[in-house]
Amino acid sequence: MIKTISVQQLKVGMYIEDLGISWLRHPFARARWLIKSQEEIKKIKQCGLSSIKIDTIKGIGVDPPTADQLQPPAISLATTTPLPKGAEPEELTAESLAALADTVSVQDEIIQVARVYNEFLIRTRTFFSQVQLGLPINLDEISSDLDELIKSVFRNRYAASALVKLKTFDEYTYTHSVNVCVLALTLGRFLNLPLPKLKALGIGGLFHDLGKIAISKKIVNKPGPLTVDELREIQKHPYLSAKLLKTSDQVSREVIECALLHHERYCGQGYPQGLRSNEIPLSAQIIGLADVYDAMTSDRVYRKKFSQHETLKTMYAARGEEFDPILVSHLVKCLGVYPVGSLVHLNTGEKGLVMDINDNDLIKPKILLIDQPGDVTRNGPQVFDLVNQPEKKSNEVRRIVGVDAPGKWNIDPARYLLDHHSFKPAVAFAPS
Ligand SMILES: [Fe+2]
């Protein structure tokens, strides 16, 4: 039973059903979970909430618990509540996707896809644990989440890839797997790949590193450089991923190739087979690009993340060596030269947050001016379209002159991207 209680009544053993705030505004990786420590309660209290929804069937209630209630609920992918009859989701088709194409704004879609992403992350973690325990791979358990992500990249081509860079989690393995899935779907949609190929890309992205579960965590999570032996060990993971995936008759050959060949490189210097250029299947090349992009734009124990722009620049510079030159140009076009969420400097001395991309002019996105010279509160935060600027002398036209690494400014891009409805258009605003 769902019950609203005061935050002061929270106890270990309660099952959080709804915090009542956006997923991007709290520090937890899950939207619903069983409280297992006082530390979690402390973090919830720090969110400044007054009340909260709990599920007294999945966890204890405010009354003294019975012995039965103290038993933690079993975690199983099969425990999701069945939909009422007649409410089953419609099957995804090329036609239904075409009808969704570019129908939702980037900010509205970020809010919509955040919930799907969060659920998918929980499911992926459980999935990996089950495979580690030797349970069979069952793709039915992830197919509806995958369909939802595919729909999202059709509703808006920039939102899902922006979202995955807005929030960071401690559990790199699962986050990275879901992020690579999202980024591969984004690039796949940009390339107009057919639906079966998109599905293979999504599954391939999710499981490309599955084989790492069979490698010592000490090596996988080592914060420093690897020894030669450790490197040899880690380089077995594409083969181990493919071996695990082959145990399921639901997994296609294309997905297995994504896992086996995602570390192959255009010039032939990758592994495990040293394949070159078009010897590497397109889907494996896409997973390879998504893998590198997400790794470089994520914080690791041994280094801070690079900005999305800096990462694209580095990857573009490696075209013809590491990556297919055409495919890497498509990646830049697909995400934007300054992807949504980038923190940029303008020639006017102002700073801005990229809110949306202009498809026809990638170096002139729509930005939110968040640090104007002079009176910063005079006009409040405003969205400015770098394409639609009033006629001015060339030195007065706003343009981007630099990008900062995330974290350098003391702002939370997620807060600005989600509060966009309160911002005014700023086409008439002139630099001071
Ligand atoms: Fe890998």
Side-chain angles (χ1 to χ4, degrees), residues 113 116 120 145-153 181-182 185:
V113 72
V116 180
F120 204 22
D145 285 326
L146 190 60
D147 283 358
E148 287 306 314
L149 285 182
I150 293 174
K151 283 195 240 171
S152 173
V153 301
C181 167
V182 166
L185 290 176

Side-chain angles (χ1 to χ4, degrees), residues 176 208-210 212 234 237-238 241 259 262-263 271 291:
H176 177 67
H208 70 290
D209 275 349
L210 184 65
K212 284 187 179 172
I234 203 96
H237 80 269
S241 299
H262 71 275
H263 283 286
Y271 63 92
D291 181 28

